[in-house]
Amino acid sequence: MFEFNDLKLMEIQIEQYMRISGACVQFTGEPGSIIIAGNNAQGKTSFISSIWAALDGHEMARKPLKNGATKGRIKLDLNEIIVERTFTEKSDQLRVWAKDGMLYPEPASVLKILWNKICIDPLEFMRLTPKDQATRLLASMGLESAMAELDSQLAEVNAVKAKADAAKREAEGRLSKLPIPSRDLAPKSIEVLLQAESLAAGKAGAAFAEQERIERDGDTIGTMRARFEDIMREIADLQAKIMQLELERDKLTDTIQVARTTLDAAIAAAPNPQDAQAVWDAARAELAGAESHNAKCRELAEYTATEQAIADARAQSESALEDQRRLKASRKQLISDNPLPMPELSFADGELRYNDMPLEQASGAEQLKAALAISMALNPKLRIITIKDGSLLDAENMAIIGEMAQAKGYQVFIERVGKGELGIIFEDGEVECSAT
């Protein structure tokens, strides 16, 4: 296993890379800020880029060779090891060897454990959105997938809880508008009552029909009596026909008697229409009462169902709340197992926070300190940080960078426009002045 610690840039040689024709700069290895100065398009950015291009070919410019060149080279002396990358338009070759001359057969393996492939420019990091800052940092820590999965689950749980809370509020609103019903109601069977009403109506109808038949029979007897009286008068007038009429009289008398007996029996046996009507009316009244009763039962059923809906929504919300707590605890544990570079930093709602507020709301100095701390923490072995657009830094920020670099033992290479500062000054692709 390779053991490298506290590696710093002691010397860099650059040949035919981007705007630089040739440059060789030596450094003391002392931590602090190192200014890479010069006017625009003179080679400053090419110098910064060359450091990472040597360490990782993927960081190399799309067209690395200076115009007109066919081959280029970048060599880094990192105190304990030497890294050299040679390249053409179509290929590049990497060599890594120790200070004692031992060549490592698998140079990429050496560099893999040497530095985090995700190097962070503090100023570039400060310009990212809070969510992009979190994504960038998590990716550099190897936690992006795990945190994304937890955040995805948390988002689903949040949606479930929001839906349950909304359903609970809606059900509570409906319940507040419902009358409070009696709890001891049992619905009556409308079908049975309808059958009772029909039976009562049938009995009443039969009674009325029987009454009408009896009345018709009564009319018939009256007619027979009238005929009897006519016959009696004819007997008086027609004595000659007495025998014949007496026979007819006897027959009619017998018939009348039979009819009278039958009528009396029918009258005695016939139901009272008024009683049947009363039964029918009672059945209809009971039916109406049952409908009112059942309406109250329906109100009770609706009230009870709404109460159950509230209980179900509350249970779902409480379950989602427990899931929220569990997932947040898992996120907290994940960060606890993989500490952030500064105790003030944390993650919340997919964003990077500083003292529990979005990092972008912190002061410029606090943001710079956080970005520097993150850059340093990502590469504890290779103690090199590069900053482009350093001209945007004021004196206070430059002082912060210098102090942190010295305190943590890092070399911070800062690209600045102009020639008014001490440092490495580039002019037309070459080093014009070097004060390191």
Side-chain angles (χ1 to χ4, degrees), residues 65-327:
L65 286 172
K66 184 176 175 63
N67 288 339
T70 59
K71 184 178 180 179
R73 183 177 73 96
I74 305 171
K75 180 181 177 182
L76 307 179
D77 181 345
L78 298 176
N79 193 23
E80 295 184 27
I81 61 173
I82 308 296
V83 177
E84 182 182 62
R85 190 179 296 273
T86 57
F87 50 90
T88 65
E89 287 289 350
K90 296 182 178 181
S91 65
D92 72 86
Q93 181 182 11
L94 174 67
R95 293 198 309 153
V96 178
W97 64 91
K99 275 296 184 68
D100 60 7
M102 183 186 72
L103 188 68
Y104 292 104
E106 297 182 2
S109 299
V110 178
L111 298 184
K112 185 176 182 180
I113 66 169
L114 181 62
W115 70 295
N116 191 318
K117 290 293 184 180
I118 301 179
C119 54
I120 290 181
D121 181 324
L123 288 190
E124 178 187 348
F125 187 80
M126 289 170 63
R127 290 194 288 266
L128 297 175
T129 65
K131 289 188 180 295
D132 287 341
Q133 287 174 342
T135 299
R136 186 79 175 271
L137 179 55
L138 287 170
S140 67
M141 297 172 67
L143 303 178
E144 185 177 16
S145 296
M147 189 65 75
E149 177 62 24
L150 287 174
D151 286 343
S152 175
Q153 294 180 25
L154 188 58
E156 292 179 4
V157 169
N158 289 342
V160 169
K161 188 175 187 306
K163 185 177 180 180
D165 290 341
K168 177 174 171 288
R169 289 192 298 270
E170 188 274 334
E172 287 174 340
R174 284 191 288 112
L175 189 69
S176 66
K177 298 177 182 178
L178 295 176
I180 301 177
S182 173
R183 298 285 182 173
D184 57 354
L185 294 174
K188 294 183 178 180
S189 175
I190 297 296
E191 291 77 9
V192 172
L193 293 172
L194 286 172
Q195 292 175 2
E197 181 203 29
S198 177
L199 181 60
K203 289 181 178 179
F208 285 125
E210 184 65 14
Q211 184 183 46
E212 290 176 355
R213 187 185 65 77
I214 292 172
E215 289 176 351
R216 287 196 303 272
D217 289 348
D219 292 341
T220 301
I221 292 172
T223 301
M224 293 171 68
R225 284 176 175 169
R227 177 60 178 159
F228 176 77
E229 293 174 355
D230 289 342
I231 291 172
M232 291 300 292
R233 284 193 295 272
E234 288 178 4
I235 291 172
D237 295 337
L238 302 170
Q239 287 296 327
K241 297 180 179 180
I242 288 175
M243 292 299 294
Q244 183 179 355
L245 293 175
E246 283 180 348
L247 290 173
E248 188 176 351
R249 179 198 63 192
D250 293 340
K251 290 179 180 181
L252 288 173
T253 298
D254 293 340
T255 300
I256 289 171
Q257 186 60 41
V258 171
R260 179 75 266 176
T261 300
T262 301
L263 180 61
D264 290 342
I267 291 173
N272 189 335
Q274 293 180 347
D275 293 340
Q277 180 68 46
V279 172
W280 189 20
D281 291 343
R284 290 176 63 83
E286 186 174 3
L287 180 63
E291 179 56 35
S292 175
H293 175 86
N294 284 355
K296 294 179 180 179
C297 289
R298 287 192 293 272
E299 291 177 355
L300 174 60
E302 182 181 5
Y303 196 91
T304 304
T306 306
E307 286 182 321
Q308 186 61 49
I310 294 172
D312 291 344
R314 182 183 295 112
Q316 192 174 26
S317 176
E318 291 173 353
S319 176
L321 181 60
E322 287 301 315
D323 288 340
Q324 283 179 333
R325 291 169 178 165
R326 174 180 56 79
L327 291 169

Side-chain angles (χ1 to χ4, degrees), residues 350-371:
E351 297 182 353
L352 184 62
R353 291 178 170 263
Y354 184 89
N355 285 331
D356 294 328
M357 64 180 180
L359 181 59
E360 63 179 352
Q361 294 181 13
S363 68
E366 289 172 329
Q367 291 186 51
L368 180 59
K369 289 178 181 178

Side-chain angles (χ1 to χ4, degrees), residues 414-432:
I414 306 174
E415 178 185 336
R416 304 265 285 184
V417 176
K419 299 182 180 181
E421 298 177 272
L422 290 178
I424 302 171
I425 300 176
F426 276 88
E427 178 71 29
D428 195 23
E430 296 181 350
V431 177
E432 182 182 83

